[in-house]
Amino acid sequence: MSGTLDTQELVGALKAAAEPTRLRILLLLAAGELNVKDLTQILGQSQPRISRHLKLLAEAGLIERFREGSWVYFHVSDRTEGGRLVRRLLDTVDPRDPIILRDGERADSQKREREATAQDYFRAHAADWDRIRALYVSENAVDAAIVKAFDGAPFNFLVDLGTGTGRMLELFADRYTRGLGLDVNQSMLAYARSRLKTAGLAAAEVRHGDIYDLALPDRVADAVVMHQVLHYLSEPALAIREAARILAPGGRLLVVDFAPHEIEDLRARHAHERLGFEDRQVVSWLKDAGLSGVEVQSLAPDATDARQALTVSLWRASKPDVAVQPASKSQKLERIAP
């Protein structure tokens, strides 16, 4: 990434944004991802007209699209200089403009409907999550270990992969200038948006994201969290490599998941692809992704609580300030003490 636009790119980006409806669309997409149907309802314009505007904005590199099932969603790009230019331009728009206010009210109405659907989804699954949480050390202990693992200077940009309810964005709310949570589940995202809004966390946002192909440029994140995500993945090593790609030099990655276990019910009933991870395996993935300074911590279950059977592990690594060669597959790997 050059960090700049040439003259032709800059003129094209400004021309794409310099139309009233397209500017309104950009303002809406900067606040959250929407599909064509959403935008037609908010703006009161026809689908062909909205689709045409979206096409021009995408061609100028200001927005990106992604497909989820039969729906196509759009958001302001984080991967392009045009997208970053848009965010700076939008900061100069008067939020008290009557048209902008009306668009925001209609968008909020749509979000409230989705939040209601998300609440139903979470009520239906709450019992399952409560049963899983009872299997390991208390969440307070896990949260304390996570916060300690990321002690030090504040972050400019924190990314939470597989954000779920947005819990990690809440936990680190006083540590980052901007927080971004990514997930593939729209019900999760709607619920997370509701929680973050209720908590007043204006610096945090969540959006749809493919953990194997993040819509973010290289070396942009000061910190990346993967909390209870790996055990759902068929290719966790690829996800770790992608997380390492977006880390800035000196940035840190924290992976939180289960140590190996034999509770097959989690695979059969709760879609867990993996029944925990050996330290040696995760450390190998981190080093293969070009990360260093790996540290491991294990939180064992409470021996006095008969329900607890799972050990929670935390693996932390850093992106070197200078490029390093990935670890050799044949290189002996010593276990790192907690």
Side-chain angles (χ1 to χ4, degrees), residues 259 279 296-300 311-315 335 338:
D279 288 338
V296 180
Q297 180 181 4
S298 296
L299 303 176
T311 293
V312 175
S313 296
L314 293 85
W315 300 273
R335 171 172 163 74

Side-chain angles (χ1 to χ4, degrees), residues 67-227:
R67 181 174 293 277
E68 183 177 285
S70 60
W71 291 103
V72 175
Y73 288 84
F74 298 84
H75 60 78
V76 173
S77 177
D78 275 300
R79 241 189 315 214
T80 65
E81 290 304 321
R84 287 186 278 277
L85 171 65
V86 161
R87 292 186 182 275
R88 294 196 295 272
L89 291 174
L90 296 182
D91 286 339
T92 67
V93 176
D94 184 356
R96 297 166 299 179
D97 182 290
I99 295 177
I100 302 304
L101 286 172
R102 184 183 62 191
D103 289 348
E105 289 168 357
R106 290 177 176 174
D108 285 342
S109 177
Q110 284 187 343
K111 290 176 183 177
R112 285 193 294 271
E113 292 177 8
R114 289 199 177 112
E115 288 167 6
T117 301
Q119 293 287 355
D120 292 340
Y121 173 88
F122 273 81
R123 278 192 291 270
H125 292 80
D128 290 338
W129 288 320
D130 287 342
R131 281 193 292 271
I132 293 174
R133 281 195 292 265
L135 292 173
Y136 59 87
V137 64
S138 75
E139 285 194 324
N140 287 339
V142 176
D143 287 351
I146 290 172
V147 170
K148 186 175 180 180
F150 266 172
D151 59 0
F155 312 121
N156 181 49
F157 186 27
L158 177 140
V159 178
D160 180 23
L161 300 180
T163 192
T165 64
R167 174 62 183 144
M168 293 297 102
L169 294 174
E170 291 183 284
L171 190 64
F172 288 105
D174 62 342
R175 296 287 308 284
Y176 56 76
T177 302
R178 181 192 175 201
L180 175 64
L182 300 171
D183 206 290
V184 297
N185 188 303
Q186 287 293 344
S187 292
M188 287 282 194
L189 292 171
Y191 184 79
R193 288 189 187 102
S194 177
R195 282 184 56 145
L196 296 173
K197 182 177 180 181
T198 300
L201 302 184
E205 64 175 307
V206 295
R207 72 163 69 125
H208 182 280
D210 181 350
I211 202 167
Y212 299 122
D213 184 19
L214 301 172
L216 291 167
D218 297 349
R219 302 183 297 277
V220 293
D222 303 292
V224 177
V225 184
M226 304 175 75
H227 177 247

Side-chain angles (χ1 to χ4, degrees), residues 6 11 40 60 87 111 115 125 129 141 174 203 212 235 246 253 260 264 272 300 302-303:
D6 64 32
V11 170
T40 59
R87 292 186 182 275
K111 290 176 183 177
E115 288 167 6
H125 292 80
W129 288 320
D174 62 342
Y212 299 122
E235 298 182 275
I246 67 170
L253 169 63
E264 285 287 344
H272 288 206
D302 185 350

Side-chain angles (χ1 to χ4, degrees), residues 81 116 118 124 143 152 197-198 219 229 240 262 267 286 295 320:
E81 290 304 321
D143 287 351
K197 182 177 180 181
T198 300
R219 302 183 297 277
V229 173
I240 287 178
E262 298 181 357
R267 195 199 311 270
L286 293 167
E295 299 178 2

Side-chain angles (χ1 to χ4, degrees), residues 55-67:
K55 182 174 184 292
L56 292 172
L57 292 171
E59 288 175 346
L62 307 188
I63 65 173
E64 294 187 48
R65 53 177 282 160
F66 66 90
R67 181 174 293 277

